[in-house]
Amino acid sequence: MTSADDIIGLLKEQSARDSTLIRKAYDFAATAHKNHMRYSGEPYFTHLTETAKIIAELGAGAAAVAAGLLHDSIEDVGVTPETLRAEFGDEILMLVEAVTKLGHLRYRGIDRYSESMRRLFVASAKDLRVLIIKLADRVHNMRTLAHIPKEKQRRIAEETLEIYAPIAYRLGIRKINRELEELSFPFAYPAEYERVVTTVRMKEPALRKKLQRFLRSVLKGLARQNITVLASTLRLKGLYSLYGKLKRRDWDLEKVYDLLAIRIVVKSIEDCYRALGVVHGHWRPLPGRIKDYISFPKPNGYRSLHTTVFMGDGGIAEIQIRTVEMHRESEYGVAAHFSYKESERGDRRLGLAALGEKLYRGLLSWRAKGIGNGNGVLAGERTGIPHWVQELGSVNAAVEEQEFWRELRDDFFKSRIFIFTPKGDVVDLAVDSCPIDFAYAIHSDIGDHMVGAKVGGKLVAIDTPLKNGDIVEILTKSGARPSRKWLDFTRTSMARKHIRNALAKSKQS
Ligand code: MN
C-alpha cells in the first residue's frame, strides 16, 4: 500500500511543513474512508492515495496534494466543511469544496454543448489547482474503469474524451491528455478501437524494430557532431490519436506521417537547431513537415522542433527535438510552472509571467475559435497581453498564485454568461444576450417559432437581458415568425443571421 512517505517523496522538495500536512491529510482520509469500498472491492482509500500521487507528480504543491487526499471526504463520507476548516484551514477547504462542486456539473452526452460545458468547467474552478485535482481524480477513475458497472463505463469514457481530455490539452498537460484519451477510447468507441488495433497490430513489432535501428543511427550521428543527448525515446502513435488521423486518411496507415516518432532531448536551444541540421544532413526530410515550434510556439505554449524524414528503408519517422525545459513544459503544461523550488532564486516570477502570457494566449485562441453552439465569433476580442500578466510576481507566492488564476479567469470569462435549459444543458453567450439569442443558440427552429420566454419559471419580455446562471425556457408556436424588431434586441450575430433569413423568406412567400 502507498504510504504517506511515498507521496511526500514525489514532491519536488520536502519541507517539514509540507510533510506534516500530507501525513495529517493521509491519516485523516484513512480514518474517514475506513469502511468505504470501491467497485473493485479495494479500499476507497487507494483511490485517494493514487490521486494524490498523480497530483504530486504533476508538481502542483503540497496543499493540492493534501486536498487530493481529502477530495471525496465531504461528498462521500459526510465530513463537514467546518471540520475540514478546523483541521486544515481555509485554503484546503476551498480546494476540496471547489472540487466537490465541480463534481456536480452534469455531463449530458455528446452534443453541440460540449464546448460550453468545457468553458463552464474551467470557469467554475476557483483555482488552477482545482482543475488539476479534478484531472488527477479522473485519471485514476479511468485507470480502474474496468471495475465500474458496464452501463456506466461508456458514458464516463465519453465524458472523459469530451470534457477532461480537451481541458488537459488546453492547459498543455499532454501527459494527462494522452493517458485520458488512450484509457477512454476502448470504452467510448469499442468498434472503432478494434478496427484501429487490427490495423496496426500485425505491423507493430516490425515497425518498432525499424524505429529502434533508426534511433541508434540518429544518436550516432549526433554524437559524431559532439551534440550531447540527455534523453531519447521512441514511440508509436497512441491509438486514439491514430484513430483521428486514420479517419481523415481513408484508413491508410501509409498516409499517417507521424505513426512513428523519436524524441531527442538536448542541452540548449542552439543544440536543437544543430541537431536538426545533422538529421537533415543524413536523412532526407519530407517537404512541408518541418515545424519550428520554438520560434512559433503552439497556442498552449508547446515548444519543440519537428521534422519528418525518410528512414532510408522505405519508412518515414517524425523526429522531435527539444530541451529539458521544453520537454517538462510539454508534458506538464501549466502544472510545470508550479515549481516552488525556483522561488528563492526569483525565477519563479519569470516562470509565472511567462506562463501567464502563454496561458492567456491559449485561452484567447480557444475563445477566438468561436464555439459550437452557433454563437459565431465573440464580441470584444483582445489583442494585447493585459498589464497584470506582465506585472505578476512582486507579491508573495501563495497570494500571487491565487490572484493570478482569479484574474486570468475573470478576464477571460467576464464577457461570457452561462445560461441553462430547464433540462440543465448549458449554453454560453455574450453578456447582455436576451432570450432570443438563447433560443437561436439552441436551434434555429426554436428561434424562428419563439413566442415568449420564462426565466426561472416566470414569464419575461423576450428582450430581457439574461444573467449568468439563469434557467431559461423558450415558448414556441408552430405558426409564429420572427419580427424585424428582434434585430435590435439580439447580441449574437448568429441570431441576427437567422432572423434576417427568416424575414427574407417570409417576404418571398
Ligand atoms: Mn474521486
Side-chain angles (χ1 to χ4, degrees):
M1 197 173 83
T2 303
S3 71
D5 283 335
D6 293 338
I7 300 171
I8 293 164
L10 294 170
L11 295 178
K12 287 217 176 81
E13 56 180 283
Q14 287 86 27
S15 74
R17 211 171 133 237
D18 290 350
S19 306
T20 309
L21 170 64
I22 287 169
R23 279 200 194 94
K24 188 174 173 188
Y26 181 96
D27 292 338
F28 185 95
T31 311
H33 292 269
K34 198 169 55 196
N35 302 316
H36 189 190
M37 296 292 163
R38 303 198 90 210
Y39 280 114
S40 61
E42 271 185 310
Y44 197 86
F45 188 53
T46 310
H47 167 62
L48 305 172
T49 55
E50 290 304 306
T51 302
K53 272 160 71 181
I54 297 166
I55 299 165
E57 276 164 359
L58 284 171
V65 174
L69 286 164
L70 301 167
H71 81 271
D72 285 321
S73 65
I74 294 181
E75 182 80 359
D76 291 349
V77 289
V79 171
T80 64
E82 293 70 37
T83 310
L84 279 188
R85 178 184 283 123
E87 294 286 328
F88 297 100
D90 283 332
E91 184 187 10
I92 287 179
L93 173 64
M94 180 279 286
L95 292 173
V96 175
E97 281 194 313
V99 169
T100 306
K101 230 175 108 192
L102 266 195
H104 295 157
L105 285 182
R106 278 289 145 258
Y107 169 73
R108 317 187 64 86
I110 296 177
D111 60 19
R112 58 221 163 81
Y113 306 119
S114 287
E115 181 65 15
S116 287
M117 181 76 191
R118 287 193 282 271
R119 289 158 176 275
L120 176 65
F121 205 88
V122 174
S124 309
K126 287 214 171 95
D127 185 298
L128 185 51
R129 291 171 299 176
V130 173
L131 287 179
I132 288 174
I133 296 167
K134 241 358 234 181
L135 289 171
D137 175 44
R138 182 52 61 111
V139 168
H140 184 248
N141 284 335
M142 290 309 298
R143 285 181 190 164
T144 51
L145 194 69
H147 302 290
I148 297 279
K150 274 251 162 338
E151 64 278 10
K152 288 188 177 175
Q153 284 174 348
R154 185 167 192 152
R155 188 185 165 74
I156 295 172
E158 274 180 8
E159 181 185 48
T160 304
L161 283 177
E162 286 288 300
I163 309 295
Y164 290 83
I167 288 176
Y169 183 83
R170 290 290 178 186
L171 296 175
I173 312 175
R174 272 296 278 159
K175 194 178 154 64
I176 298 286
N177 163 257
R178 240 185 348 249
E179 183 169 359
L180 289 176
E181 286 182 350
E182 294 306 316
L183 289 170
S184 308
F185 185 29
F187 293 100
Y189 305 109
E192 292 82 350
Y193 172 77
E194 279 309 317
R195 189 169 175 195
V196 176
V197 168
T198 37
T199 308
V200 208
R201 186 177 277 151
M202 297 293 288
K203 299 179 180 151
E204 193 181 326
L207 287 172
R208 229 171 242 290
K209 236 185 225 140
K210 215 172 176 182
L211 195 58
Q212 253 148 15
R213 233 180 302 135
F214 176 62
L215 175 60
R216 273 198 299 274
S217 34
V218 169
L219 293 177
K220 244 187 241 159
L222 295 174
R224 269 200 297 270
Q225 298 300 320
N226 294 318
I227 298 174
T228 310
V229 173
L230 300 174
S232 65
T233 50
L234 55 86
R235 68 139 183 81
L236 269 69
K237 197 173 182 59
L239 294 177
Y240 183 69
S241 59
L242 181 57
Y243 164 61
K245 277 269 164 83
L246 281 172
K247 265 200 305 193
R248 281 176 272 137
R249 304 275 189 279
D250 314 313
W251 289 83
D252 184 351
L253 207 53
E254 307 282 305
K255 290 187 192 151
V256 179
Y257 294 152
D258 59 349
L259 174 64
L260 305 179
I262 65 176
R263 181 175 295 150
I264 306 285
V265 179
V266 294
K267 282 199 292 202
S268 63
I269 292 181
E270 195 196 331
D271 278 0
C272 290
Y273 290 103
R274 281 180 62 212
L276 183 71
V278 172
V279 167
H280 285 173
H282 283 77
W283 293 274
R284 180 204 296 270
L286 252 76
R289 300 278 312 168
I290 306 162
K291 290 170 194 163
D292 184 351
Y293 296 119
I294 296 178
S295 302
F296 303 101
K298 287 190 186 182
N300 66 4
Y302 177 82
R303 291 185 303 159
S304 192
L305 296 178
H306 289 191
T307 185
T308 305
V309 301
F310 293 96
M311 290 188 285
D313 51 8
I316 54 172
E318 183 177 271
I319 305 177
Q320 305 173 352
I321 306 165
R322 52 178 71 159
T323 64
V324 178
E325 193 202 352
M326 290 176 206
H327 181 60
R328 201 165 68 98
E329 282 179 6
S330 78
E331 291 296 287
Y332 298 112
V334 299
H337 295 268
F338 273 103
S339 166
Y340 287 81
K341 202 165 197 163
E342 291 99 349
S343 63
E344 294 102 31
R345 299 203 315 265
D347 291 354
R348 187 179 129 71
R349 195 174 112 187
L350 290 174
L352 250 187
L355 159 71
E357 192 172 320
K358 265 182 219 161
L359 188 57
Y360 189 79
R361 288 222 171 96
L363 289 171
L364 201 64
S365 80
W366 188 358
R367 193 164 80 159
K369 263 186 162 171
I371 43 177
N373 66 12
N375 274 331
V377 178
L378 314 169
E381 293 303 338
R382 309 165 140 262
T383 46
I385 302 301
H387 65 93
W388 52 262
V389 170
Q390 290 144 28
E391 287 164 9
L392 275 173
S394 49
V395 220
N396 84 64
V399 175
E400 180 185 311
E401 196 86 61
Q402 277 180 25
E403 295 263 296
F404 161 71
W405 179 245
R406 206 196 62 228
E407 290 194 36
L408 178 61
R409 194 170 47 108
D410 291 353
D411 193 66
F412 175 55
F413 289 104
K414 101 183 140 200
S415 55
R416 312 299 293 167
I417 49 175
F418 294 93
I419 307 299
F420 297 84
T421 67
K423 270 184 8 208
D425 290 322
V426 58
V427 172
D428 72 310
L429 295 166
V431 165
D432 290 334
S433 291
C434 71
I436 305 171
D437 295 299
F438 179 72
Y440 278 106
I442 304 264
H443 198 282
S444 59
D445 263 358
I446 304 218
D448 283 347
H449 298 111
M450 171 173 180
V451 290
K454 285 181 179 176
V455 172
K458 287 199 190 90
L459 274 173
V460 297
I462 57 170
D463 62 342
T464 310
L466 296 174
K467 292 191 307 296
N468 202 18
D470 277 347
I471 298 170
V472 180
E473 186 185 348
I474 301 296
L475 309 173
T476 57
K477 218 184 217 160
S478 59
R481 292 282 177 271
S483 116
R484 182 160 298 276
K485 262 197 321 223
W486 289 12
L487 289 171
D488 300 331
F489 303 150
T490 50
R491 271 290 268 122
T492 56
S493 53
M494 190 51 73
R496 278 199 284 275
K497 196 182 95 192
H498 285 300
I499 295 167
R500 282 199 197 98
N501 280 346
L503 290 172
K505 248 191 235 152
S506 61
K507 223 185 222 165
Q508 284 166 12
S509 56

